[in-house]
Amino acid sequence: MKRAIPVFDKNLEIFERTGQAPFFAIFEDDKFIELRVNPKHSHSHTHHHHDHDHADDENHTNEHRNQVIVIKDCGEILVRRVGPNMQEALKEAGIKIVKIRKKHGNKADEVIKLYLTEGLK
């Protein structure tokens, strides 16, 4: 099964906010296979804007649906934080959300190995 993890860049450091991540690291089982650009950040790699509103509106959820397209072949996404509109878009795409914490590691490859061998406790 393919799994996605939001990351800063090719160093695979986990990005805190799923919808704002510059990239998604894609894994097949515990093997890193590619880095995919988050469509929302194809123009920039800046930090999250504080005026971002997570009101439950259709336009905002549609923005997240467009982001989810790049990971639609993944069965799961491992995340630290995910807003309600991104949750909805992931749910619609049939992608299971797995919550991770800082104690599980800061790099996607470490976290995926822990998840597959010991689970996330």
mmCIF file with all atom_site columns, all heavy atoms in Angstrom, residues 53-72:
data_model
loop_
_atom_site.group_PDB
_atom_site.id
_atom_site.type_symbol
_atom_site.label_atom_id
_atom_site.label_alt_id
_atom_site.label_comp_id
_atom_site.label_asym_id
_atom_site.label_entity_id
_atom_site.label_seq_id
_atom_site.pdbx_PDB_ins_code
_atom_site.Cartn_x
_atom_site.Cartn_y
_atom_site.Cartn_z
_atom_site.occupancy
_atom_site.B_iso_or_equiv
_atom_site.pdbx_formal_charge
_atom_site.auth_seq_id
_atom_site.auth_comp_id
_atom_site.auth_asym_id
_atom_site.auth_atom_id
_atom_site.pdbx_PDB_model_num
ATOM 1   N N   . ASP A 1 53 ? -8.618  30.687 6.858   1.00 0.00 ? 53 ASP A N   1
ATOM 2   C CA  . ASP A 1 53 ? -9.851  30.420 7.589   1.00 0.00 ? 53 ASP A CA  1
ATOM 3   C C   . ASP A 1 53 ? -10.300 28.990 7.334   1.00 0.00 ? 53 ASP A C   1
ATOM 4   O O   . ASP A 1 53 ? -10.440 28.579 6.197   1.00 0.00 ? 53 ASP A O   1
ATOM 5   C CB  . ASP A 1 53 ? -10.936 31.401 7.129   1.00 0.00 ? 53 ASP A CB  1
ATOM 6   C CG  . ASP A 1 53 ? -12.231 31.244 7.886   1.00 0.00 ? 53 ASP A CG  1
ATOM 7   O OD1 . ASP A 1 53 ? -12.243 30.530 8.910   1.00 0.00 ? 53 ASP A OD1 1
ATOM 8   O OD2 . ASP A 1 53 ? -13.225 31.833 7.451   1.00 0.00 ? 53 ASP A OD2 1
ATOM 9   N N   . HIS A 1 54 ? -10.518 28.251 8.390   1.00 0.00 ? 54 HIS A N   1
ATOM 10  C CA  . HIS A 1 54 ? -10.965 26.869 8.244   1.00 0.00 ? 54 HIS A CA  1
ATOM 11  C C   . HIS A 1 54 ? -12.471 26.747 8.397   1.00 0.00 ? 54 HIS A C   1
ATOM 12  O O   . HIS A 1 54 ? -12.973 25.727 8.844   1.00 0.00 ? 54 HIS A O   1
ATOM 13  C CB  . HIS A 1 54 ? -10.237 25.962 9.245   1.00 0.00 ? 54 HIS A CB  1
ATOM 14  C CG  . HIS A 1 54 ? -8.941  25.470 8.697   1.00 0.00 ? 54 HIS A CG  1
ATOM 15  N ND1 . HIS A 1 54 ? -8.802  24.288 8.036   1.00 0.00 ? 54 HIS A ND1 1
ATOM 16  C CD2 . HIS A 1 54 ? -7.722  26.028 8.685   1.00 0.00 ? 54 HIS A CD2 1
ATOM 17  C CE1 . HIS A 1 54 ? -7.558  24.140 7.647   1.00 0.00 ? 54 HIS A CE1 1
ATOM 18  N NE2 . HIS A 1 54 ? -6.879  25.178 8.031   1.00 0.00 ? 54 HIS A NE2 1
ATOM 19  N N   . ALA A 1 55 ? -13.179 27.784 8.008   1.00 0.00 ? 55 ALA A N   1
ATOM 20  C CA  . ALA A 1 55 ? -14.638 27.704 8.017   1.00 0.00 ? 55 ALA A CA  1
ATOM 21  C C   . ALA A 1 55 ? -15.058 26.588 7.073   1.00 0.00 ? 55 ALA A C   1
ATOM 22  O O   . ALA A 1 55 ? -14.404 26.326 6.070   1.00 0.00 ? 55 ALA A O   1
ATOM 23  C CB  . ALA A 1 55 ? -15.233 29.028 7.567   1.00 0.00 ? 55 ALA A CB  1
ATOM 24  N N   . ASP A 1 56 ? -16.141 25.936 7.417   1.00 0.00 ? 56 ASP A N   1
ATOM 25  C CA  . ASP A 1 56 ? -16.594 24.805 6.611   1.00 0.00 ? 56 ASP A CA  1
ATOM 26  C C   . ASP A 1 56 ? -17.347 25.313 5.391   1.00 0.00 ? 56 ASP A C   1
ATOM 27  O O   . ASP A 1 56 ? -18.561 25.286 5.334   1.00 0.00 ? 56 ASP A O   1
ATOM 28  C CB  . ASP A 1 56 ? -17.466 23.882 7.468   1.00 0.00 ? 56 ASP A CB  1
ATOM 29  C CG  . ASP A 1 56 ? -17.855 22.611 6.736   1.00 0.00 ? 56 ASP A CG  1
ATOM 30  O OD1 . ASP A 1 56 ? -17.167 22.267 5.756   1.00 0.00 ? 56 ASP A OD1 1
ATOM 31  O OD2 . ASP A 1 56 ? -18.835 21.981 7.141   1.00 0.00 ? 56 ASP A OD2 1
ATOM 32  N N   . ASP A 1 57 ? -16.627 25.795 4.392   1.00 0.00 ? 57 ASP A N   1
ATOM 33  C CA  . ASP A 1 57 ? -17.276 26.243 3.165   1.00 0.00 ? 57 ASP A CA  1
ATOM 34  C C   . ASP A 1 57 ? -16.820 25.381 1.996   1.00 0.00 ? 57 ASP A C   1
ATOM 35  O O   . ASP A 1 57 ? -15.753 24.805 1.985   1.00 0.00 ? 57 ASP A O   1
ATOM 36  C CB  . ASP A 1 57 ? -17.041 27.728 2.904   1.00 0.00 ? 57 ASP A CB  1
ATOM 37  C CG  . ASP A 1 57 ? -15.585 28.063 2.639   1.00 0.00 ? 57 ASP A CG  1
ATOM 38  O OD1 . ASP A 1 57 ? -14.756 27.142 2.532   1.00 0.00 ? 57 ASP A OD1 1
ATOM 39  O OD2 . ASP A 1 57 ? -15.287 29.258 2.528   1.00 0.00 ? 57 ASP A OD2 1
ATOM 40  N N   . GLU A 1 58 ? -17.680 25.316 1.005   1.00 0.00 ? 58 GLU A N   1
ATOM 41  C CA  . GLU A 1 58 ? -17.437 24.436 -0.136  1.00 0.00 ? 58 GLU A CA  1
ATOM 42  C C   . GLU A 1 58 ? -16.195 24.848 -0.931  1.00 0.00 ? 58 GLU A C   1
ATOM 43  O O   . GLU A 1 58 ? -15.440 23.994 -1.390  1.00 0.00 ? 58 GLU A O   1
ATOM 44  C CB  . GLU A 1 58 ? -18.673 24.432 -1.043  1.00 0.00 ? 58 GLU A CB  1
ATOM 45  C CG  . GLU A 1 58 ? -18.682 23.325 -2.063  1.00 0.00 ? 58 GLU A CG  1
ATOM 46  C CD  . GLU A 1 58 ? -18.727 21.911 -1.466  1.00 0.00 ? 58 GLU A CD  1
ATOM 47  O OE1 . GLU A 1 58 ? -19.112 21.743 -0.301  1.00 0.00 ? 58 GLU A OE1 1
ATOM 48  O OE2 . GLU A 1 58 ? -18.347 20.975 -2.192  1.00 0.00 ? 58 GLU A OE2 1
ATOM 49  N N   . ASN A 1 59 ? -15.945 26.140 -1.072  1.00 0.00 ? 59 ASN A N   1
ATOM 50  C CA  . ASN A 1 59 ? -14.771 26.586 -1.826  1.00 0.00 ? 59 ASN A CA  1
ATOM 51  C C   . ASN A 1 59 ? -13.474 26.126 -1.184  1.00 0.00 ? 59 ASN A C   1
ATOM 52  O O   . ASN A 1 59 ? -12.554 25.682 -1.868  1.00 0.00 ? 59 ASN A O   1
ATOM 53  C CB  . ASN A 1 59 ? -14.763 28.115 -1.963  1.00 0.00 ? 59 ASN A CB  1
ATOM 54  C CG  . ASN A 1 59 ? -15.815 28.603 -2.923  1.00 0.00 ? 59 ASN A CG  1
ATOM 55  O OD1 . ASN A 1 59 ? -16.249 27.868 -3.812  1.00 0.00 ? 59 ASN A OD1 1
ATOM 56  N ND2 . ASN A 1 59 ? -16.236 29.840 -2.745  1.00 0.00 ? 59 ASN A ND2 1
ATOM 57  N N   . HIS A 1 60 ? -13.407 26.227 0.127   1.00 0.00 ? 60 HIS A N   1
ATOM 58  C CA  . HIS A 1 60 ? -12.184 25.814 0.820   1.00 0.00 ? 60 HIS A CA  1
ATOM 59  C C   . HIS A 1 60 ? -11.987 24.300 0.718   1.00 0.00 ? 60 HIS A C   1
ATOM 60  O O   . HIS A 1 60 ? -10.878 23.828 0.484   1.00 0.00 ? 60 HIS A O   1
ATOM 61  C CB  . HIS A 1 60 ? -12.227 26.254 2.286   1.00 0.00 ? 60 HIS A CB  1
ATOM 62  C CG  . HIS A 1 60 ? -10.914 26.117 2.960   1.00 0.00 ? 60 HIS A CG  1
ATOM 63  N ND1 . HIS A 1 60 ? -9.923  27.042 2.866   1.00 0.00 ? 60 HIS A ND1 1
ATOM 64  C CD2 . HIS A 1 60 ? -10.413 25.118 3.718   1.00 0.00 ? 60 HIS A CD2 1
ATOM 65  C CE1 . HIS A 1 60 ? -8.876  26.646 3.540   1.00 0.00 ? 60 HIS A CE1 1
ATOM 66  N NE2 . HIS A 1 60 ? -9.139  25.476 4.066   1.00 0.00 ? 60 HIS A NE2 1
ATOM 67  N N   . THR A 1 61 ? -13.051 23.552 0.875   1.00 0.00 ? 61 THR A N   1
ATOM 68  C CA  . THR A 1 61 ? -12.950 22.100 0.735   1.00 0.00 ? 61 THR A CA  1
ATOM 69  C C   . THR A 1 61 ? -12.547 21.740 -0.692  1.00 0.00 ? 61 THR A C   1
ATOM 70  O O   . THR A 1 61 ? -11.749 20.827 -0.903  1.00 0.00 ? 61 THR A O   1
ATOM 71  C CB  . THR A 1 61 ? -14.276 21.418 1.132   1.00 0.00 ? 61 THR A CB  1
ATOM 72  O OG1 . THR A 1 61 ? -14.588 21.790 2.482   1.00 0.00 ? 61 THR A OG1 1
ATOM 73  C CG2 . THR A 1 61 ? -14.161 19.905 1.060   1.00 0.00 ? 61 THR A CG2 1
ATOM 74  N N   . ASN A 1 62 ? -13.043 22.466 -1.680  1.00 0.00 ? 62 ASN A N   1
ATOM 75  C CA  . ASN A 1 62 ? -12.658 22.213 -3.079  1.00 0.00 ? 62 ASN A CA  1
ATOM 76  C C   . ASN A 1 62 ? -11.170 22.439 -3.292  1.00 0.00 ? 62 ASN A C   1
ATOM 77  O O   . ASN A 1 62 ? -10.529 21.692 -4.038  1.00 0.00 ? 62 ASN A O   1
ATOM 78  C CB  . ASN A 1 62 ? -13.468 23.088 -4.037  1.00 0.00 ? 62 ASN A CB  1
ATOM 79  C CG  . ASN A 1 62 ? -14.852 22.530 -4.274  1.00 0.00 ? 62 ASN A CG  1
ATOM 80  O OD1 . ASN A 1 62 ? -15.086 21.333 -4.139  1.00 0.00 ? 62 ASN A OD1 1
ATOM 81  N ND2 . ASN A 1 62 ? -15.779 23.397 -4.626  1.00 0.00 ? 62 ASN A ND2 1
ATOM 82  N N   . GLU A 1 63 ? -10.594 23.461 -2.637  1.00 0.00 ? 63 GLU A N   1
ATOM 83  C CA  . GLU A 1 63 ? -9.143  23.682 -2.730  1.00 0.00 ? 63 GLU A CA  1
ATOM 84  C C   . GLU A 1 63 ? -8.401  22.436 -2.243  1.00 0.00 ? 63 GLU A C   1
ATOM 85  O O   . GLU A 1 63 ? -7.430  22.003 -2.852  1.00 0.00 ? 63 GLU A O   1
ATOM 86  C CB  . GLU A 1 63 ? -8.729  24.878 -1.875  1.00 0.00 ? 63 GLU A CB  1
ATOM 87  C CG  . GLU A 1 63 ? -9.116  26.214 -2.425  1.00 0.00 ? 63 GLU A CG  1
ATOM 88  C CD  . GLU A 1 63 ? -8.712  27.344 -1.486  1.00 0.00 ? 63 GLU A CD  1
ATOM 89  O OE1 . GLU A 1 63 ? -7.808  27.143 -0.632  1.00 0.00 ? 63 GLU A OE1 1
ATOM 90  O OE2 . GLU A 1 63 ? -9.303  28.422 -1.600  1.00 0.00 ? 63 GLU A OE2 1
ATOM 91  N N   . HIS A 1 64 ? -8.849  21.883 -1.126  1.00 0.00 ? 64 HIS A N   1
ATOM 92  C CA  . HIS A 1 64 ? -8.201  20.688 -0.586  1.00 0.00 ? 64 HIS A CA  1
ATOM 93  C C   . HIS A 1 64 ? -8.447  19.468 -1.463  1.00 0.00 ? 64 HIS A C   1
ATOM 94  O O   . HIS A 1 64 ? -7.571  18.607 -1.583  1.00 0.00 ? 64 HIS A O   1
ATOM 95  C CB  . HIS A 1 64 ? -8.636  20.443 0.854   1.00 0.00 ? 64 HIS A CB  1
ATOM 96  C CG  . HIS A 1 64 ? -8.065  21.431 1.822   1.00 0.00 ? 64 HIS A CG  1
ATOM 97  N ND1 . HIS A 1 64 ? -6.710  21.650 1.955   1.00 0.00 ? 64 HIS A ND1 1
ATOM 98  C CD2 . HIS A 1 64 ? -8.658  22.267 2.698   1.00 0.00 ? 64 HIS A CD2 1
ATOM 99  C CE1 . HIS A 1 64 ? -6.496  22.572 2.872   1.00 0.00 ? 64 HIS A CE1 1
ATOM 100 N NE2 . HIS A 1 64 ? -7.668  22.972 3.337   1.00 0.00 ? 64 HIS A NE2 1
ATOM 101 N N   . ARG A 1 65 ? -9.599  19.375 -2.095  1.00 0.00 ? 65 ARG A N   1
ATOM 102 C CA  . ARG A 1 65 ? -9.843  18.265 -3.029  1.00 0.00 ? 65 ARG A CA  1
ATOM 103 C C   . ARG A 1 65 ? -8.812  18.299 -4.154  1.00 0.00 ? 65 ARG A C   1
ATOM 104 O O   . ARG A 1 65 ? -8.328  17.248 -4.581  1.00 0.00 ? 65 ARG A O   1
ATOM 105 C CB  . ARG A 1 65 ? -11.251 18.366 -3.609  1.00 0.00 ? 65 ARG A CB  1
ATOM 106 C CG  . ARG A 1 65 ? -12.338 17.968 -2.653  1.00 0.00 ? 65 ARG A CG  1
ATOM 107 C CD  . ARG A 1 65 ? -13.716 18.001 -3.324  1.00 0.00 ? 65 ARG A CD  1
ATOM 108 N NE  . ARG A 1 65 ? -14.740 17.774 -2.338  1.00 0.00 ? 65 ARG A NE  1
ATOM 109 C CZ  . ARG A 1 65 ? -15.667 18.675 -1.981  1.00 0.00 ? 65 ARG A CZ  1
ATOM 110 N NH1 . ARG A 1 65 ? -15.708 19.860 -2.555  1.00 0.00 ? 65 ARG A NH1 1
ATOM 111 N NH2 . ARG A 1 65 ? -16.555 18.373 -1.067  1.00 0.00 ? 65 ARG A NH2 1
ATOM 112 N N   . ASN A 1 66 ? -8.481  19.487 -4.628  1.00 0.00 ? 66 ASN A N   1
ATOM 113 C CA  . ASN A 1 66 ? -7.469  19.616 -5.684  1.00 0.00 ? 66 ASN A CA  1
ATOM 114 C C   . ASN A 1 66 ? -6.093  19.168 -5.195  1.00 0.00 ? 66 ASN A C   1
ATOM 115 O O   . ASN A 1 66 ? -5.320  18.599 -5.961  1.00 0.00 ? 66 ASN A O   1
ATOM 116 C CB  . ASN A 1 66 ? -7.405  21.057 -6.188  1.00 0.00 ? 66 ASN A CB  1
ATOM 117 C CG  . ASN A 1 66 ? -8.631  21.432 -6.979  1.00 0.00 ? 66 ASN A CG  1
ATOM 118 O OD1 . ASN A 1 66 ? -9.304  20.575 -7.552  1.00 0.00 ? 66 ASN A OD1 1
ATOM 119 N ND2 . ASN A 1 66 ? -8.960  22.706 -7.002  1.00 0.00 ? 66 ASN A ND2 1
ATOM 120 N N   . GLN A 1 67 ? -5.794  19.399 -3.914  1.00 0.00 ? 67 GLN A N   1
ATOM 121 C CA  . GLN A 1 67 ? -4.522  18.941 -3.354  1.00 0.00 ? 67 GLN A CA  1
ATOM 122 C C   . GLN A 1 67 ? -4.492  17.423 -3.245  1.00 0.00 ? 67 GLN A C   1
ATOM 123 O O   . GLN A 1 67 ? -3.471  16.790 -3.501  1.00 0.00 ? 67 GLN A O   1
ATOM 124 C CB  . GLN A 1 67 ? -4.321  19.540 -1.959  1.00 0.00 ? 67 GLN A CB  1
ATOM 125 C CG  . GLN A 1 67 ? -4.082  21.021 -1.946  1.00 0.00 ? 67 GLN A CG  1
ATOM 126 C CD  . GLN A 1 67 ? -4.015  21.523 -0.531  1.00 0.00 ? 67 GLN A CD  1
ATOM 127 O OE1 . GLN A 1 67 ? -5.037  21.761 0.075   1.00 0.00 ? 67 GLN A OE1 1
ATOM 128 N NE2 . GLN A 1 67 ? -2.814  21.664 -0.012  1.00 0.00 ? 67 GLN A NE2 1
ATOM 129 N N   . VAL A 1 68 ? -5.590  16.843 -2.847  1.00 0.00 ? 68 VAL A N   1
ATOM 130 C CA  . VAL A 1 68 ? -5.668  15.401 -2.605  1.00 0.00 ? 68 VAL A CA  1
ATOM 131 C C   . VAL A 1 68 ? -5.487  14.611 -3.909  1.00 0.00 ? 68 VAL A C   1
ATOM 132 O O   . VAL A 1 68 ? -5.027  13.467 -3.880  1.00 0.00 ? 68 VAL A O   1
ATOM 133 C CB  . VAL A 1 68 ? -6.990  15.057 -1.882  1.00 0.00 ? 68 VAL A CB  1
ATOM 134 C CG1 . VAL A 1 68 ? -7.236  13.562 -1.828  1.00 0.00 ? 68 VAL A CG1 1
ATOM 135 C CG2 . VAL A 1 68 ? -6.975  15.626 -0.470  1.00 0.00 ? 68 VAL A CG2 1
ATOM 136 N N   . ILE A 1 69 ? -5.760  15.221 -5.029  1.00 0.00 ? 69 ILE A N   1
ATOM 137 C CA  . ILE A 1 69 ? -5.602  14.540 -6.318  1.00 0.00 ? 69 ILE A CA  1
ATOM 138 C C   . ILE A 1 69 ? -4.197  13.965 -6.474  1.00 0.00 ? 69 ILE A C   1
ATOM 139 O O   . ILE A 1 69 ? -4.035  12.870 -6.998  1.00 0.00 ? 69 ILE A O   1
ATOM 140 C CB  . ILE A 1 69 ? -5.949  15.493 -7.488  1.00 0.00 ? 69 ILE A CB  1
ATOM 141 C CG1 . ILE A 1 69 ? -7.461  15.734 -7.519  1.00 0.00 ? 69 ILE A CG1 1
ATOM 142 C CG2 . ILE A 1 69 ? -5.456  14.946 -8.807  1.00 0.00 ? 69 ILE A CG2 1
ATOM 143 C CD1 . ILE A 1 69 ? -7.901  16.829 -8.469  1.00 0.00 ? 69 ILE A CD1 1
ATOM 144 N N   . VAL A 1 70 ? -3.170  14.678 -5.988  1.00 0.00 ? 70 VAL A N   1
ATOM 145 C CA  . VAL A 1 70 ? -1.792  14.212 -6.178  1.00 0.00 ? 70 VAL A CA  1
ATOM 146 C C   . VAL A 1 70 ? -1.446  12.994 -5.325  1.00 0.00 ? 70 VAL A C   1
ATOM 147 O O   . VAL A 1 70 ? -0.422  12.357 -5.563  1.00 0.00 ? 70 VAL A O   1
ATOM 148 C CB  . VAL A 1 70 ? -0.733  15.325 -5.959  1.00 0.00 ? 70 VAL A CB  1
ATOM 149 C CG1 . VAL A 1 70 ? -0.961  16.475 -6.905  1.00 0.00 ? 70 VAL A CG1 1
ATOM 150 C CG2 . VAL A 1 70 ? -0.677  15.782 -4.528  1.00 0.00 ? 70 VAL A CG2 1
ATOM 151 N N   . ILE A 1 71 ? -2.296  12.671 -4.346  1.00 0.00 ? 71 ILE A N   1
ATOM 152 C CA  . ILE A 1 71 ? -2.026  11.492 -3.502  1.00 0.00 ? 71 ILE A CA  1
ATOM 153 C C   . ILE A 1 71 ? -3.186  10.500 -3.546  1.00 0.00 ? 71 ILE A C   1
ATOM 154 O O   . ILE A 1 71 ? -3.302  9.632  -2.689  1.00 0.00 ? 71 ILE A O   1
ATOM 155 C CB  . ILE A 1 71 ? -1.709  11.901 -2.040  1.00 0.00 ? 71 ILE A CB  1
ATOM 156 C CG1 . ILE A 1 71 ? -2.853  12.697 -1.411  1.00 0.00 ? 71 ILE A CG1 1
ATOM 157 C CG2 . ILE A 1 71 ? -0.394  12.658 -1.967  1.00 0.00 ? 71 ILE A CG2 1
ATOM 158 C CD1 . ILE A 1 71 ? -2.728  12.885 0.089   1.00 0.00 ? 71 ILE A CD1 1
ATOM 159 N N   . LYS A 1 72 ? -4.032  10.611 -4.544  1.00 0.00 ? 72 LYS A N   1
ATOM 160 C CA  . LYS A 1 72 ? -5.246  9.785  -4.606  1.00 0.00 ? 72 LYS A CA  1
ATOM 161 C C   . LYS A 1 72 ? -4.959  8.289  -4.705  1.00 0.00 ? 72 LYS A C   1
ATOM 162 O O   . LYS A 1 72 ? -5.825  7.483  -4.398  1.00 0.00 ? 72 LYS A O   1
ATOM 163 C CB  . LYS A 1 72 ? -6.143  10.243 -5.757  1.00 0.00 ? 72 LYS A CB  1
ATOM 164 C CG  . LYS A 1 72 ? -5.567  9.974  -7.125  1.00 0.00 ? 72 LYS A CG  1
ATOM 165 C CD  . LYS A 1 72 ? -6.513  10.437 -8.210  1.00 0.00 ? 72 LYS A CD  1
ATOM 166 C CE  . LYS A 1 72 ? -6.071  9.969  -9.552  1.00 0.00 ? 72 LYS A CE  1
ATOM 167 N NZ  . LYS A 1 72 ? -5.297  10.825 -10.338 1.00 0.00 ? 72 LYS A NZ  1
#
